[in-house]
Amino acid sequence: FVLYERAAVPLAPALAEAAHVRTPLALAAGPEGGLSAAEVDAARAAGFQEAGLGPRILRTETVPAAVLGAVLVARQLRPRATG
């Protein structure tokens, strides 16, 4: 995912879906002040899906902790395979 403040898709449902299907995750976040449209276009061209954190503006150094915490929670909530 490329985390973009103008993304139409929120990260939470996209992350839940990725956790459900056991997709490997890669996250890209920009500097304080956000990513430029050209940077987001380049990320999309490289295969990243655009997603947003909603109205929150996080400091660059807090993004990894916040997003990794969400990943851990999403993976724990993932339905477990029975068998």
Side-chain angles (χ1 to χ4, degrees):
F1 298 101
V2 59
L3 303 176
Y4 186 46
E5 63 273 6
R6 293 184 188 100
V9 175
L11 179 62
L15 187 59
E17 178 62 26
H20 176 71
V21 297
R22 296 176 171 254
T23 301
L25 297 174
L27 299 160
E32 291 181 34
L35 294 167
S36 70
E39 290 169 322
V40 174
D41 289 342
R44 273 196 236 112
F48 283 81
Q49 177 184 346
E50 193 177 303
L53 297 173
R56 292 160 215 79
I57 302 296
L58 300 178
R59 294 183 58 88
T60 301
E61 61 270 14
T62 60
V63 170
V67 173
L68 289 175
V71 168
L72 291 173
V73 169
R75 290 201 167 159
Q76 286 179 342
L77 296 176
R78 177 186 74 230
R80 297 184 189 260
T82 59

XYZ file of all heavy atoms in Angstrom:
589
model
N 0.832 -1.174 0.000
C 0.000 0.000 0.000
C 0.876 1.236 0.000
O 1.893 1.275 0.674
C -0.882 0.029 1.248
C -1.839 -1.118 1.338
C -1.576 -2.207 2.146
C -3.010 -1.117 0.601
C -2.452 -3.263 2.229
C -3.892 -2.177 0.676
C -3.615 -3.252 1.490
N 0.458 2.230 -0.736
C 1.074 3.546 -0.626
C 0.088 4.389 0.177
O -1.085 4.502 -0.160
C 1.407 4.183 -2.000
C 0.194 4.353 -2.885
C 2.117 5.522 -1.810
N 0.556 4.897 1.303
C -0.304 5.676 2.195
C -0.336 7.112 1.701
O 0.689 7.786 1.650
C 0.231 5.591 3.620
C 0.353 4.161 4.152
C 0.985 4.149 5.531
C -0.990 3.465 4.166
N -1.530 7.526 1.326
C -1.706 8.825 0.671
C -2.886 9.537 1.295
O -3.983 8.982 1.399
C -1.935 8.578 -0.823
C -2.007 9.809 -1.697
C -1.084 10.830 -1.585
C -2.986 9.915 -2.667
C -1.139 11.944 -2.408
C -3.049 11.016 -3.507
C -2.119 12.027 -3.371
O -2.181 13.130 -4.192
N -2.662 10.767 1.711
C -3.710 11.504 2.436
C -4.943 11.796 1.588
O -6.014 12.041 2.124
C -3.151 12.791 3.048
C -2.633 13.799 2.061
C -1.174 13.583 1.661
O -0.562 12.583 2.057
O -0.662 14.430 0.916
N -4.834 11.743 0.277
C -5.992 12.000 -0.587
C -6.613 10.707 -1.131
O -7.455 10.751 -2.021
C -5.584 12.900 -1.742
C -5.200 14.297 -1.289
C -4.897 15.209 -2.472
N -4.349 16.461 -2.010
C -3.061 16.759 -2.005
N -2.186 15.906 -2.449
N -2.645 17.926 -1.553
N -6.198 9.572 -0.611
C -6.723 8.283 -1.100
C -8.210 8.161 -0.797
O -8.676 8.556 0.268
C -5.969 7.131 -0.454
N -8.949 7.606 -1.744
C -10.386 7.398 -1.560
C -10.657 6.142 -0.748
O -11.703 6.025 -0.110
C -11.075 7.304 -2.923
N -9.725 5.200 -0.758
C -9.913 3.925 -0.057
C -9.224 3.994 1.297
O -8.025 4.274 1.379
C -9.290 2.770 -0.891
C -9.359 1.452 -0.145
C -9.959 2.674 -2.237
N -9.953 3.718 2.384
C -9.311 3.701 3.700
C -8.433 2.457 3.861
O -8.714 1.406 3.275
C -10.470 3.684 4.693
C -11.699 3.452 3.911
C -11.390 3.564 2.456
N -7.391 2.561 4.635
C -6.469 1.455 4.824
C -7.123 0.272 5.536
O -6.862 -0.876 5.173
C -5.234 1.920 5.615
C -4.195 0.837 5.904
C -3.621 0.273 4.613
C -3.098 1.372 6.799
N -7.964 0.507 6.517
C -8.488 -0.581 7.353
C -9.146 -1.705 6.549
O -8.760 -2.866 6.697
C -9.434 -0.039 8.414
N -10.139 -1.451 5.696
C -10.745 -2.562 4.966
C -9.782 -3.216 3.975
O -9.790 -4.433 3.811
C -11.938 -1.948 4.231
C -11.953 -0.511 4.527
C -10.837 -0.193 5.464
N -8.944 -2.427 3.339
C -7.972 -2.992 2.399
C -6.975 -3.875 3.138
O -6.616 -4.961 2.670
C -7.255 -1.866 1.660
N -6.571 -3.445 4.313
C -5.636 -4.219 5.127
C -6.289 -5.498 5.630
O -5.674 -6.562 5.628
C -5.154 -3.363 6.294
C -4.065 -3.921 7.167
C -2.818 -4.222 6.350
C -3.741 -2.932 8.263
N -7.543 -5.409 6.042
C -8.265 -6.603 6.499
C -8.361 -7.634 5.384
O -8.168 -8.831 5.609
C -9.644 -6.220 7.010
N -8.646 -7.189 4.172
C -8.732 -8.102 3.031
C -7.375 -8.737 2.750
O -7.276 -9.937 2.511
C -9.245 -7.373 1.789
C -9.312 -8.234 0.558
C -10.252 -9.425 0.663
O -11.215 -9.387 1.449
O -10.014 -10.418 -0.054
N -6.321 -7.949 2.774
C -4.975 -8.479 2.532
C -4.600 -9.499 3.599
O -3.997 -10.532 3.302
C -3.961 -7.346 2.485
N -4.966 -9.250 4.838
C -4.674 -10.188 5.925
C -5.480 -11.473 5.751
O -4.993 -12.567 6.014
C -4.981 -9.551 7.277
N -6.705 -11.335 5.289
C -7.585 -12.496 5.104
C -7.025 -13.464 4.065
O -7.096 -14.670 4.231
C -8.987 -12.037 4.706
C -9.932 -13.153 4.400
N -10.426 -13.989 5.377
C -10.447 -13.587 3.231
C -11.211 -14.894 4.811
N -11.241 -14.664 3.508
N -6.469 -12.944 2.994
C -5.951 -13.799 1.923
C -4.444 -14.044 2.060
O -3.837 -14.608 1.162
C -6.280 -13.236 0.517
C -7.766 -13.193 0.291
C -5.665 -11.879 0.307
N -3.871 -13.639 3.195
C -2.450 -13.862 3.495
C -1.525 -13.237 2.450
O -0.527 -13.816 2.063
C -2.154 -15.335 3.660
C -2.854 -15.960 4.812
C -2.575 -17.453 4.851
N -3.073 -18.011 6.087
C -2.303 -18.383 7.100
N -1.007 -18.253 7.024
N -2.829 -18.877 8.186
N -1.870 -12.072 1.983
C -1.054 -11.348 1.021
C 0.182 -10.779 1.707
O 0.062 -10.155 2.758
C -1.878 -10.194 0.416
O -3.026 -10.731 -0.202
C -1.084 -9.396 -0.580
N 1.357 -10.954 1.124
C 2.523 -10.249 1.676
C 2.282 -8.741 1.564
O 1.668 -8.282 0.603
C 3.679 -10.672 0.758
C 3.210 -11.923 0.095
C 1.716 -11.806 -0.006
N 2.762 -8.001 2.528
C 2.495 -6.563 2.556
C 3.761 -5.752 2.367
O 4.812 -6.091 2.890
C 1.864 -6.171 3.896
C 0.515 -6.784 4.212
C 0.095 -6.407 5.623
C -0.514 -6.336 3.209
N 3.627 -4.697 1.617
C 4.667 -3.676 1.489
C 3.963 -2.335 1.654
O 2.887 -2.118 1.096
C 5.344 -3.754 0.124
N 4.549 -1.476 2.442
C 3.946 -0.173 2.724
C 4.915 0.941 2.355
O 6.111 0.832 2.635
C 3.580 -0.064 4.202
C 2.570 -1.102 4.681
C 2.627 -1.237 6.181
C 1.194 -0.713 4.224
N 4.385 1.976 1.743
C 5.180 3.158 1.420
C 4.486 4.372 2.013
O 3.285 4.558 1.842
C 5.302 3.311 -0.096
N 5.246 5.160 2.742
C 4.717 6.390 3.325
C 5.676 7.523 2.987
O 6.883 7.310 2.873
C 4.580 6.250 4.837
N 5.132 8.684 2.843
C 5.948 9.825 2.454
C 6.488 10.593 3.635
O 6.262 10.254 4.788
N 7.178 11.661 3.326
C 7.716 12.541 4.357
C 6.605 13.410 4.946
O 5.484 13.422 4.433
C 8.701 13.403 3.575
C 8.085 13.491 2.220
C 7.454 12.136 1.982
N 6.933 14.115 6.001
C 5.963 15.076 6.522
C 5.682 16.074 5.412
O 6.578 16.496 4.701
C 6.516 15.766 7.762
C 6.609 14.791 8.922
C 7.139 15.418 10.189
O 6.867 16.604 10.443
O 7.813 14.693 10.922
N 4.428 16.360 5.222
C 4.021 17.210 4.112
C 3.384 16.397 3.007
O 2.761 16.930 2.113
N 3.533 15.065 3.089
C 2.844 14.188 2.160
C 3.598 13.886 0.886
O 4.649 14.456 0.597
N 3.043 12.962 0.152
C 3.585 12.558 -1.135
C 3.042 13.457 -2.236
O 1.916 13.937 -2.154
C 3.177 11.118 -1.444
C 3.743 10.036 -0.530
C 3.020 8.723 -0.756
C 5.218 9.878 -0.778
N 3.829 13.622 -3.275
C 3.337 14.356 -4.437
C 2.504 13.411 -5.293
O 2.606 12.182 -5.169
C 4.511 14.898 -5.257
O 5.200 13.831 -5.885
N 1.693 13.965 -6.169
C 0.894 13.145 -7.074
C 1.795 12.277 -7.950
O 1.485 11.115 -8.229
C -0.007 14.027 -7.935
N 2.945 12.798 -8.376
C 3.886 12.026 -9.194
C 4.449 10.841 -8.417
O 4.627 9.756 -8.974
C 5.015 12.925 -9.686
N 4.723 11.027 -7.131
C 5.225 9.921 -6.306
C 4.168 8.838 -6.147
O 4.479 7.648 -6.195
C 5.672 10.445 -4.937
C 6.928 11.285 -5.009
C 7.240 12.019 -3.720
O 6.294 12.498 -3.041
O 8.433 12.112 -3.401
N 2.914 9.242 -5.958
C 1.827 8.271 -5.841
C 1.636 7.535 -7.160
O 1.461 6.309 -7.185
C 0.517 8.952 -5.376
C -0.649 7.977 -5.401
C 0.699 9.527 -3.981
N 1.711 8.256 -8.270
C 1.613 7.616 -9.593
C 2.728 6.588 -9.780
O 2.495 5.494 -10.296
C 1.665 8.651 -10.710
C 0.400 9.500 -10.790
O -0.646 9.087 -10.233
O 0.465 10.581 -11.403
N 3.935 6.920 -9.370
C 5.067 5.994 -9.492
C 4.848 4.760 -8.613
O 5.150 3.637 -9.027
C 6.368 6.699 -9.119
N 4.314 4.965 -7.420
C 4.029 3.829 -6.538
C 2.965 2.923 -7.153
O 3.094 1.696 -7.132
C 3.593 4.326 -5.160
N 1.908 3.524 -7.697
C 0.867 2.735 -8.377
C 1.458 1.945 -9.539
O 1.148 0.770 -9.731
C -0.258 3.634 -8.867
C -1.323 3.880 -7.829
C -2.580 4.450 -8.484
N -2.902 5.703 -7.833
C -2.828 6.909 -8.373
N -2.481 7.094 -9.609
N -3.132 7.975 -7.679
N 2.321 2.580 -10.316
C 2.954 1.913 -11.456
C 3.827 0.750 -10.994
O 4.003 -0.223 -11.729
C 3.779 2.910 -12.263
N 4.346 0.830 -9.775
C 5.171 -0.241 -9.215
C 4.336 -1.324 -8.544
O 4.881 -2.268 -7.987
C 6.172 0.349 -8.222
N 3.001 -1.171 -8.575
C 2.125 -2.206 -8.032
C 1.526 -1.918 -6.669
O 0.844 -2.771 -6.104
N 1.766 -0.730 -6.138
C 1.181 -0.376 -4.844
C -0.284 0.020 -5.013
O -0.656 0.620 -6.021
C 1.931 0.799 -4.209
C 3.244 0.415 -3.592
C 4.375 0.256 -4.369
C 3.352 0.227 -2.225
C 5.589 -0.096 -3.817
C 4.559 -0.118 -1.653
C 5.685 -0.282 -2.456
N -1.086 -0.307 -4.020
C -2.486 0.109 -3.976
C -2.570 1.338 -3.066
O -2.018 1.338 -1.967
C -3.340 -1.026 -3.409
C -4.786 -0.690 -3.251
C -5.572 -1.834 -2.592
O -5.090 -2.955 -2.495
N -6.762 -1.525 -2.145
N -3.260 2.349 -3.516
C -3.418 3.584 -2.750
C -4.386 3.347 -1.590
O -5.436 2.733 -1.759
C -3.995 4.629 -3.703
C -3.958 6.024 -3.235
C -4.502 6.939 -4.319
O -3.991 6.946 -5.448
O -5.472 7.654 -3.997
N -4.026 3.822 -0.400
C -4.904 3.718 0.766
C -4.609 4.882 1.703
O -3.497 5.406 1.722
C -4.696 2.387 1.487
N -5.619 5.268 2.453
C -5.467 6.408 3.346
C -5.706 6.057 4.797
O -6.329 5.043 5.122
N -5.222 6.916 5.671
C -5.413 6.758 7.114
C -6.538 7.639 7.627
O -6.665 7.838 8.823
C -4.107 7.083 7.851
C -2.926 6.166 7.544
C -1.662 6.693 8.200
C -3.224 4.755 8.000
N -7.336 8.180 6.732
C -8.433 9.048 7.145
C -7.944 10.448 7.436
O -6.942 10.899 6.876
N -8.624 11.144 8.326
C -8.289 12.545 8.571
C -7.037 12.737 9.430
O -6.601 13.851 9.642
C -9.530 13.072 9.304
C -10.075 11.872 10.007
C -9.794 10.713 9.083
N -6.454 11.651 9.911
C -5.289 11.768 10.773
C -4.045 12.141 9.969
O -3.780 11.563 8.927
C -5.023 10.443 11.487
C -6.081 10.100 12.494
C -6.030 8.596 12.782
N -7.360 8.065 13.012
C -8.240 7.769 12.069
N -7.955 7.937 10.814
N -9.421 7.295 12.367
N -3.279 13.056 10.501
C -1.977 13.393 9.936
C -0.953 12.933 10.974
O -0.912 13.444 12.091
C -1.828 14.908 9.682
C -2.914 15.406 8.737
C -0.438 15.220 9.151
C -2.868 14.826 7.337
N -0.173 11.929 10.595
C 0.808 11.370 11.525
C 2.204 11.866 11.167
O 2.516 12.110 10.007
C 0.795 9.840 11.447
C -0.529 9.156 11.775
C -0.386 7.646 11.601
C -0.975 9.490 13.175
N 3.033 11.953 12.177
C 4.432 12.289 11.941
C 5.087 11.102 11.245
O 4.695 9.957 11.436
C 5.125 12.605 13.264
C 4.566 13.887 13.912
C 5.315 14.221 15.181
N 6.741 14.392 14.980
C 7.330 15.534 14.640
N 6.608 16.617 14.462
N 8.636 15.594 14.494
N 6.086 11.375 10.456
C 6.771 10.331 9.700
C 7.233 9.196 10.601
O 7.086 8.024 10.264
C 7.969 10.926 8.932
O 7.477 11.939 8.052
C 8.703 9.882 8.145
N 7.768 9.516 11.757
C 8.293 8.474 12.636
C 7.207 7.663 13.350
O 7.491 6.601 13.882
C 9.299 9.047 13.654
C 8.747 10.086 14.585
C 8.880 11.517 14.065
O 9.152 11.728 12.878
O 8.687 12.425 14.890
N 5.961 8.132 13.364
C 4.896 7.356 14.013
C 4.121 6.472 13.036
O 3.426 5.552 13.459
C 3.901 8.280 14.742
O 3.305 9.164 13.808
C 4.575 9.053 15.854
N 4.240 6.725 11.753
C 3.512 5.933 10.754
C 3.856 4.446 10.850
O 2.959 3.605 10.896
C 3.729 6.473 9.327
C 3.177 5.527 8.280
C 3.086 7.844 9.192
N 5.137 4.055 10.879
C 5.431 2.615 10.932
C 4.815 1.918 12.142
O 4.231 0.837 12.009
C 6.957 2.554 10.977
C 7.406 3.838 10.374
C 6.359 4.844 10.764
N 4.913 2.514 13.315
C 4.349 1.886 14.508
C 2.832 1.764 14.407
O 2.260 0.720 14.729
C 4.730 2.686 15.752
N 2.173 2.803 13.935
C 0.709 2.769 13.811
C 0.261 1.725 12.797
O -0.652 0.934 13.052
C 0.186 4.151 13.419
N 0.906 1.697 11.648
C 0.490 0.776 10.589
C 0.854 -0.664 10.945
O 0.060 -1.578 10.729
C 1.069 1.206 9.231
C 0.789 0.175 8.160
C 0.480 2.551 8.829
N 2.028 -0.890 11.508
C 2.391 -2.253 11.899
C 1.483 -2.779 13.006
O 1.142 -3.958 13.024
C 3.855 -2.328 12.308
C 4.836 -2.180 11.148
C 6.269 -2.153 11.656
C 4.648 -3.275 10.119
N 1.055 -1.911 13.906
C 0.075 -2.315 14.914
C -1.232 -2.735 14.255
O -1.830 -3.755 14.625
N -1.665 -1.985 13.255
C -2.893 -2.341 12.533
C -2.728 -3.664 11.794
O -3.653 -4.485 11.741
C -3.267 -1.225 11.555
N -1.544 -3.903 11.223
C -1.284 -5.172 10.527
C -1.385 -6.338 11.503
O -2.029 -7.361 11.220
C 0.106 -5.153 9.848
C 0.508 -6.544 9.375
C 0.116 -4.162 8.698
N -0.773 -6.202 12.669
C -0.831 -7.272 13.659
C -2.264 -7.570 14.080
O -2.670 -8.732 14.182
C 0.020 -6.914 14.883
C 1.527 -6.890 14.644
C 2.250 -6.363 15.870
C 2.028 -8.270 14.274
N -3.043 -6.545 14.320
C -4.443 -6.738 14.703
C -5.221 -7.393 13.570
O -5.969 -8.348 13.784
C -5.094 -5.397 15.119
C -6.597 -5.535 15.258
C -4.480 -4.907 16.416
N -5.036 -6.909 12.347
C -5.766 -7.473 11.201
C -5.420 -8.944 11.015
O -6.304 -9.763 10.737
C -5.432 -6.687 9.935
N -4.171 -9.297 11.197
C -3.780 -10.704 11.023
C -4.321 -11.577 12.134
O -4.624 -12.737 11.923
C -2.279 -10.822 10.873
C -1.841 -10.257 9.530
C -0.520 -10.745 9.090
N -0.338 -10.406 7.673
C 0.817 -10.329 7.086
N 1.920 -10.597 7.768
N 0.899 -10.030 5.816
N -4.457 -11.036 13.346
C -5.030 -11.809 14.449
C -6.518 -12.012 14.258
O -7.071 -13.025 14.676
C -4.764 -11.127 15.781
C -3.332 -11.260 16.227
C -3.087 -10.565 17.541
O -3.860 -9.722 17.984
N -1.996 -10.915 18.183
N -7.189 -11.057 13.619
C -8.636 -11.159 13.395
C -8.980 -11.996 12.190
O -10.131 -12.332 11.985
C -9.231 -9.754 13.246
C -9.140 -8.869 14.478
C -9.678 -7.476 14.155
C -9.873 -9.471 15.652
N -7.976 -12.336 11.385
C -8.193 -13.129 10.181
C -8.801 -14.477 10.567
O -8.336 -15.131 11.497
C -6.841 -13.343 9.478
C -6.916 -14.197 8.260
C -5.533 -14.487 7.700
N -4.863 -15.452 8.546
C -3.631 -15.322 9.035
N -2.919 -14.260 8.772
N -3.096 -16.253 9.766
N -9.841 -14.919 9.863
C -10.390 -16.245 10.155
C -9.334 -17.315 9.938
O -8.595 -17.297 8.964
C -11.515 -16.401 9.117
C -11.811 -15.025 8.638
C -10.544 -14.231 8.805
N -9.238 -18.223 10.882
C -8.237 -19.283 10.798
C -8.779 -20.451 9.971
O -9.960 -20.767 10.037
C -7.863 -19.765 12.183
C -7.229 -18.661 12.999
C -6.780 -19.180 14.347
N -6.391 -18.061 15.170
C -5.134 -17.705 15.361
N -4.168 -18.360 14.796
N -4.843 -16.682 16.123
N -7.886 -21.053 9.230
C -8.273 -22.209 8.422
C -8.578 -23.390 9.347
O -7.902 -23.578 10.358
C -7.150 -22.571 7.457
N -9.582 -24.131 9.017
C -9.917 -25.330 9.795
C -9.471 -26.535 9.004
O -9.462 -26.533 7.789
C -11.422 -25.403 10.083
O -12.126 -25.410 8.842
C -11.871 -24.239 10.941
N -9.121 -27.555 9.687
C -8.722 -28.700 8.905
C -8.028 -29.652 9.715
O -7.673 -30.659 9.786
